[in-house]
């Protein structure tokens, strides 16, 4: 359902999720939260950099290379032993740097998710932690908000969404509540709002 929500009328998507334009009840939202879990990435394990670097050597291939370097040294082939050790160290450094960049990227993604979100629950506007959003929630967005989850727009007028992180385009994308083509790429799904910062003159609910 989520993979083709952009191509369906908003009313049909709301109905398929068992939701209502006035939003879910508090009881239903709590049940869905228990069923689907929080709207959040898993917390990082947080290894110390020293242990992360040493982990680069934890490989059968590395063990064979080090054993080969030791054998070459014992046989008096010092240059060969030095080359093998250098290759192992370079491999470890490259792996350490790449793993560090991956962890930084995950941390940046977590920061993009708004800590709180405005939703309609039983027709009443409420502010809840973004981690407590569930499928079927009607989310209210205001100018300058970060979209707290991937949303199917229910109403939007003059909506411009910055999707540079998604499409690489520096120009804001125009959005509307009408269905998009079924085969549209992510950047062309005009009826969807993905976890990004956006600006528009009027508030528009979505989920």
């Amino acid at each position: 359902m989520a993979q083709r929500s952009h191509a369906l009328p908003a009313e049909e998507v709301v109905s398929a999720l068992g939701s209502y334009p006035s939003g879910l009840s508090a009881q239903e939202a709590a049940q869905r939260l228990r069923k689907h879990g929080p709207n959040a990435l898993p917390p990082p394990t947080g290894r110390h950099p020293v242990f992360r670097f040493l982990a680069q050597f934890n490989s059968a291939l590395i063990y064979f290379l080090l054993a080969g370097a030791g054998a070459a040294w014992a046989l008096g082939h010092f240059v060969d032993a030095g080359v093998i050790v250098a290759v192992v160290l370079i491999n470890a450094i490259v792996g350490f740097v790449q793993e560090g960049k991956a962890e930084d990227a995950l941390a940046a993604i977590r920061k993009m998710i708004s800590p709180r979100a405005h939703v309609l629950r039983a027709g009443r506007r409420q502010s809840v932690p973004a981690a407590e959003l569930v499928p079927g929630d009607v989310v209210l967005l205001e100018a300058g908000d970060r979209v707290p989850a991937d949303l199917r727009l229910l109403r939007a007028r003059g909506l411009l969404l910055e999707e540079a992180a998604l499409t690489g385009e520096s120009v804001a994308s125009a959005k509307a509540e009408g269905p998009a083509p079924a085969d549209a790429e992510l950047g062309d799904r005009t009826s969807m709002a993905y976890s990004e910062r956006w600006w528009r003159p009027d508030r528009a609910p979505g989920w």
Side-chain angles (χ1 to χ4, degrees):
M1 176 67 188
Q3 294 180 351
R4 55 190 180 91
S5 297
H6 64 281
L8 299 176
E11 296 79 7
E12 186 175 337
V13 178
V14 172
S15 176
L17 285 174
S19 186
Y20 309 92
S22 58
L24 302 171
S25 66
Q27 294 78 7
E28 178 64 22
Q31 291 177 1
R32 297 190 183 195
L33 181 61
R34 289 193 294 269
K35 177 181 179 181
H36 298 285
N39 172 47
L41 293 172
T45 56
R47 284 190 302 172
H48 192 278
V50 173
F51 295 111
R52 182 153 51 87
F53 179 74
L54 293 177
Q56 308 302 319
F57 298 94
N58 187 21
S59 167
L61 178 59
I62 298 300
Y63 297 152
F64 284 125
L65 288 174
L66 292 176
W73 184 274
L75 294 174
H77 302 298
F78 305 119
V79 175
D80 294 339
V83 170
I84 294 174
V85 172
V87 168
V88 171
L89 288 175
I90 292 173
N91 177 76
I93 293 172
V94 170
F96 175 79
V97 172
Q98 289 180 338
E99 190 172 330
K101 289 182 177 180
E103 291 185 359
D104 292 342
L106 287 176
I109 292 175
R110 293 187 187 95
K111 291 180 181 179
M112 290 174 63
I113 300 178
S114 175
R116 300 196 66 83
H118 299 289
V119 299
L120 283 179
R121 295 273 171 88
R124 299 182 60 184
R125 178 190 176 101
Q126 298 182 20
S127 176
V128 300
E132 295 182 7
L133 292 178
V134 297
D137 261 329
V138 176
V139 180
L140 304 175
L141 299 174
E142 296 180 347
D145 284 351
R146 291 184 184 274
V147 179
D150 294 344
L151 310 176
R152 172 61 166 87
L153 297 174
L154 304 185
R155 291 201 303 271
R157 294 186 302 274
L159 169 60
L160 295 177
L161 174 65
E162 181 185 296
E163 296 181 319
L166 179 66
T167 65
E169 298 290 339
S170 59
V171 179
S173 302
K175 297 291 181 176
E177 67 267 23
D183 58 350
E185 298 294 336
L186 284 178
D188 297 325
R189 296 179 182 181
T190 54
S191 58
M192 300 292 295
Y194 297 99
S195 296
E196 264 295 323
R197 194 175 187 87
W198 64 283
W199 298 264
R200 42 171 263 324
D202 302 310
R203 187 175 66 201
W207 57 258

